[in-house]
Amino acid sequence: MRVTSPEIHEGIKVSELVEMLGKTAFNARRIGEAAKICEEMVKNDSFVFLTLAGAMIPAGMRKIVAGMMQNGFISSLVTTGANVVHEIVESLGMGHEIGSCYVDDKALAEENVNRIYDVFVSQEAFEKVEEFLSGVISELEGVYASYEFLWEVGKRMNDESSFLRIAAEKEIPVFCPTLHDSIAGLHVMIYRKNLQIDFFRDVSRIIDLCFQKRKMGVIVVGGGVPKNFTLQAMLLAEGFDYAVQITTDSPQWGGLSGATLEEAKSWCKLKPDAKAVTIYCDATIAFPLLYAYLLDSLKENQ
């Protein structure tokens, strides 16, 4: 097959463009390949984990996560405490502002504004998070896994766009192995009375999910703890059948976020014949393209 230049036309659908990219080269082709793998894993009724690291929620990716849950494209989410906190910020109506990386950070501090590269979030937003979470935490008693605790948080969300609310409604496990490494973790420590978070219950649950007798898939956005927590759960099972990774890191530094999916096969976290591709691209570009492709390709076939 020859490399084919995309035939861009007026009114082109995103899914058409992604399909065309699969016939080009470099990371454009990888986006096209990843889209096909994601489509196949969903069509085959696979159990699909989405792992989400980095500042994806402040960057505006929350409705994509929510949409993938709502449409049945993912079966479980593994994310960081930071993304959970910023999801609560959004759900409480505070939001994140378009800012700039070319700014006087000392001046921002004086104005009680926090910066995440080119995104601003006010200190007031975190005060609202504390007010909300303190109420939730003080109501709960007993031992919870992180996903059980986040279901309780989601049940109390009024925002219909909240992926925590959708997860609670659909009983989709949202694992947060770094919950304690976040503002939410600080609030659990401060306001808990008879509440305990048992992270080993998360480990037990995710391993059980990996032992299901069905096709298993994973979409890795970023890397870090969410990636490792999910892939290591397969050490005792048979390995993933499908894997897509979006990262801006590279493998030669030895870090997990840049580790290739081929390397994961050496650990038997992926099956030897697993369909897998890594996209070296900003996730804020690649992730929405994959979701748009899935919406078009899978909804058209329903």
Side-chain angles (χ1 to χ4, degrees), residues 59-302:
M61 300 292 106
R62 68 187 295 258
K63 289 189 177 180
I64 295 173
V65 177
M68 293 187 83
M69 283 184 175
Q70 199 70 267
N71 287 290
F73 299 161
I74 60 172
S75 315
S76 178
L77 172 65
V78 184
T79 192
T80 61
N83 276 321
V84 166
V85 168
H86 288 285
E87 168 63 8
I88 297 171
V89 167
E90 288 285 338
S91 296
L92 295 178
M94 298 302 295
H96 299 78
E97 300 296 326
I98 293 175
S100 171
C101 60
Y102 305 105
V103 66
D104 184 343
D105 287 290
K106 292 180 181 178
L108 287 182
E110 291 173 359
E111 296 169 8
N112 292 317
V113 174
N114 304 275
R115 179 169 73 89
I116 307 169
Y117 188 59
D118 61 357
V119 174
F120 294 166
V121 56
S122 69
Q123 189 60 35
E124 182 187 2
F126 296 116
E127 292 169 3
K128 293 291 185 182
V129 169
E130 180 174 8
E131 181 182 342
F132 170 76
L133 279 180
S134 63
V136 176
I137 294 164
S138 61
E139 289 178 10
L140 301 178
E141 294 184 357
V143 181
Y144 290 75
S146 73
Y147 69 90
E148 293 170 326
F149 171 69
L150 292 177
W151 281 345
E152 294 297 329
V153 173
K155 290 174 186 177
R156 293 161 174 80
M157 288 292 187
N158 294 322
D159 179 12
E160 294 183 357
S161 298
S162 168
F163 66 72
L164 291 178
R165 172 173 168 157
I166 294 168
E169 291 172 346
K170 292 179 169 288
E171 295 190 344
I172 296 171
V174 177
F175 296 100
C176 189
T178 61
L179 182 67
H180 50 304
D181 182 29
S182 70
I183 289 172
L186 292 176
H187 296 329
V188 171
M189 184 272 293
I190 293 168
Y191 293 105
R192 64 178 181 155
K193 296 177 181 177
N194 298 303
L195 168 66
Q196 295 183 48
I197 307 295
D198 184 352
F199 293 102
F200 289 103
R201 287 176 63 166
D202 288 307
V203 176
S204 177
R205 179 60 177 150
I206 197 170
I207 289 174
D208 285 346
L209 292 174
C210 288
F211 269 100
Q212 296 176 88
K213 296 301 180 183
R214 59 193 290 193
K215 295 287 186 180
M216 303 295 294
V218 62
I219 301 170
V220 178
V221 177
V225 172
K227 175 184 177 181
N228 186 69
F229 186 76
T230 306
L231 293 187
Q232 77 170 2
M234 272 296 179
L235 287 173
L236 301 178
E238 297 180 359
F240 284 103
D241 298 277
Y242 305 101
V244 167
Q245 177 172 237
I246 306 170
T247 184
T248 52
D249 208 343
S250 50
Q252 70 268 22
W253 313 119
L256 179 72
S257 298
T260 65
L261 295 174
E262 288 71 25
E263 181 180 306
K265 289 183 179 181
S266 77
W267 294 82
C268 300
K269 296 172 181 177
L270 270 64
K271 291 180 179 175
D273 60 349
K275 294 186 178 181
V277 66
T278 296
I279 307 167
Y280 292 98
C281 180
D282 186 329
T284 60
I285 299 169
F287 192 36
L289 289 175
L290 291 180
Y291 177 54
Y293 177 86
L294 289 175
L295 273 180
D296 281 348
S297 64
L298 294 172
K299 288 299 181 181
E300 284 177 357
N301 295 325
Q302 287 184 353

